[in-house]
Amino acid sequence: MSRTINTFRKYCNSLTQYSRYKTREVSIGDVPLGAGNPIRIQSMTTTNSMDTIATVEQTIRMINAGCEYVRITAPSKLEAENLLNIKNELKRRGCNVPLIADIHFTPNAAEIAARIVEKVRVNPGNYADKKKFENIEYTDSEYNRELERIREKFTPLVKICKEYGTAMRIGTNHGSLSDRIMSRYGDSPLGMVESALEFLRICEDENYFSLVLSMKSSNPQIMVQAYRLLIQKMEDEEMNYPLHLGVTEAGGGEDGRIKSALGIGTLLEDGIGDTVRVSLTEDPEFEAPVAISLVNRYIGRENHHTISALEVLPYNPVERKKRETFEVSGIGGSNVPRVVADYSNKNVRHLTLFLTLVISMTLLPTNGA
């Protein structure tokens, strides 16, 4: 049981006394992230990044809705170059919001964007790897050669970010783990964490530390496990980088908001998270108010009523295991959780929807998408 206690103490400060997990500060333009700064709100544009005016106007709507950072996709060199036009037009309109370039498959685009915006986001699953859905058996020496190949491809971006004072998010996505990671670690939270740590170690070897990490998944259960495991792994290597929270493609309406609250809210309750993006299938200006509502719950939370501390953690926080119970009238034991619906009033209907979604998330397999 002592191993379980240590596991809990490595991923959050306390299970009974709210306390923000302390991370290092990273400067993103004039809006610093992590450490003692507020939990920041951000979202992502949905316009064509080559349409400067449309992107600028949507960005301004997002800022008015509460966004403190705005992310813009730059899938190729052309979009990356146009970030300068977007930035200049925003400044002309008196707007100095930090911009984040979202890069996936094109290192050249990332290197251009890093000279223009305040932060770039790279996905380690597809920045230097190609996904062919192949299962490859690597020897240790072969795997190390692959890591050297990644180092050669990734290091130029690291050096540019360091030179220009640009921050970087290493953003693992559960749905785009590389064949290399999948072959060694499987489709798992551990694979997500190791994918980010490989890139993180390259950054540290170059004495570059302006880093933010994320472990995003469309499955809140996988997401929560991955973030908790990431903190444990960072603690082992004496790291404390700030964390970006989000549930990928949460959806729209009540479903998207509840699904986001399940994943993001669980981690915020642990004291984990330095910036939040709620990903809805709606215009991005509707995302920020949801994120703000989640974050505001933890303003001044430290002084809540005292709850007796747990001396022993009765579960592993990075693995799902159903609590053992007796069966009574088909409820409990090995049966799936039951939802009892009462449609007599609107509030109960909403509660029933919430419980149904919670249960559907807990029943998803831990190695699924």
Side-chain angles (χ1 to χ4, degrees):
M1 188 62 73
S2 60
R3 182 188 68 82
T4 306
I5 295 173
N6 291 336
T7 296
F8 137 57
R9 288 179 177 169
K10 277 187 174 182
Y11 87 86
C12 81
N13 299 331
S14 171
L15 288 175
T16 55
Q17 179 70 33
Y18 176 77
S19 174
R20 181 107 172 262
Y21 181 79
K22 189 66 176 288
T23 58
R24 69 188 300 154
E25 184 174 86
V26 172
S27 295
I28 304 173
D30 296 328
V31 185
L33 177 68
N37 294 293
I39 300 172
R40 304 298 188 182
I41 306 300
Q42 64 175 283
S43 186
M44 184 173 179
T45 60
T46 57
T47 54
N48 182 339
S49 303
M50 294 300 295
D51 189 334
T52 300
I53 298 303
T55 303
V56 166
E57 290 178 349
Q58 188 176 70
T59 295
I60 291 172
R61 292 196 298 272
M62 293 162 64
I63 295 166
N64 291 338
C67 286
E68 296 168 278
Y69 306 127
V70 172
R71 182 155 49 111
I72 303 171
T73 185
S76 75
K77 293 170 64 176
L78 288 175
E79 286 89 353
E81 290 165 351
N82 198 53
L83 290 170
L84 182 58
N85 295 326
I86 294 170
K87 187 173 184 178
N88 287 339
E89 178 63 18
L90 284 166
K91 285 186 176 180
R92 190 184 72 79
R93 300 192 188 194
C95 177
N96 294 304
V97 65
L99 298 180
I100 303 166
D102 192 62
I103 312 291
H104 283 266
F105 299 96
T106 316
N108 289 342
E111 292 166 15
I112 293 169
R115 295 176 168 93
I116 299 171
V117 298
E118 286 73 24
K119 180 182 172 186
V120 294
R121 180 262 173 148
V122 297
N123 181 345
N126 53 35
Y127 186 85
D129 280 322
K130 291 184 178 180
K131 192 171 183 65
K132 299 179 180 179
F133 299 94
E134 295 177 344
N135 187 18
I136 307 167
E137 294 293 332
Y138 291 100
T139 65
D140 287 345
S141 60
E142 289 172 338
Y143 197 86
N144 288 334
R145 283 198 296 271
E146 287 294 295
L147 291 179
E148 285 305 311
R149 178 183 62 80
I150 290 168
R151 181 182 296 272
E152 290 177 9
K153 203 163 186 178
F154 181 54
T155 298
L157 175 62
V158 176
K159 290 182 176 180
I160 291 169
C161 287
K162 185 177 177 181
E163 177 184 354
Y164 281 78
T166 306
M168 181 191 300
R169 171 160 68 98
I170 300 174
T172 301
N173 192 311
H174 182 224
S176 59
L177 295 177
S178 68
D179 290 343
R180 179 178 52 79
I181 287 291
M182 294 274 283
S183 297
R184 173 151 289 206
Y185 299 102
D187 184 14
S188 65
L190 178 60
M192 295 172 65
V193 170
E194 291 296 338
S195 180
L197 289 178
E198 289 176 354
F199 277 62
L200 182 55
R201 295 179 188 115
I202 294 170
C203 292
E204 290 200 334
D205 288 345
E206 296 294 326
N207 294 312
Y208 173 69
F209 307 100
S210 296
L211 299 164
V212 182
L213 302 176
S214 65
M215 299 278 117
K216 299 181 81 170
S217 172
S218 59
N219 181 341
Q221 179 184 317
I222 295 291
M223 170 215 174
V224 169
Q225 292 173 358
Y227 277 100
R228 288 173 173 176
L229 184 59
L230 172 64
I231 291 179
Q232 293 176 21
K233 293 285 187 178
M234 284 202 296
E235 290 275 336
D236 289 342
E237 299 189 34
E238 298 183 345
M239 302 171 177
N240 65 333
Y241 293 100
L243 299 170
H244 165 121
L245 302 186
V247 176
T248 303
E249 299 173 347
E254 287 183 333
D255 287 1
R257 286 158 174 78
I258 293 171
K259 190 173 180 181
S260 295
L262 285 171
I264 296 170
T266 296
L267 293 167
L268 289 175
E269 196 71 23
D270 288 337
I272 297 168
D274 301 282
T275 180
V276 169
R277 188 250 170 135
V278 172
S279 181
L280 302 175
T281 51
E282 302 173 21
D283 291 338
E285 55 264 38
F286 296 117
E287 297 181 344
V290 183
I292 292 169
S293 178
L294 289 171
V295 167
N296 282 350
R297 175 178 168 84
Y298 301 93
I299 296 175
R301 183 74 179 278
E302 287 84 354
N303 297 322
H304 65 72
H305 179 70
T306 301
I307 303 170
S308 299
L310 286 176
E311 296 299 327
V312 175
L313 186 66
Y315 61 91
N316 187 327
V318 299
E319 293 179 3
R320 176 185 176 273
K321 183 180 179 182
K322 187 179 177 183
R323 185 171 67 93
E324 295 181 3
T325 60
F326 295 108
E327 179 177 342
V328 178
S329 300
I331 298 175
S334 61
N335 294 293
V336 298
R338 309 290 186 182
V339 175
V340 179
D342 179 352
Y343 286 87
S344 59
N345 63 68
K346 182 178 178 181
N347 289 334
V348 174
R349 287 199 298 273
H350 287 170
L351 178 59
T352 301
L353 172 64
F354 173 74
L355 290 173
T356 303
L357 188 54
V358 169
I359 289 169
S360 68
M361 290 299 103
T362 61
L363 294 179
L364 287 171
T366 58
N367 63 345

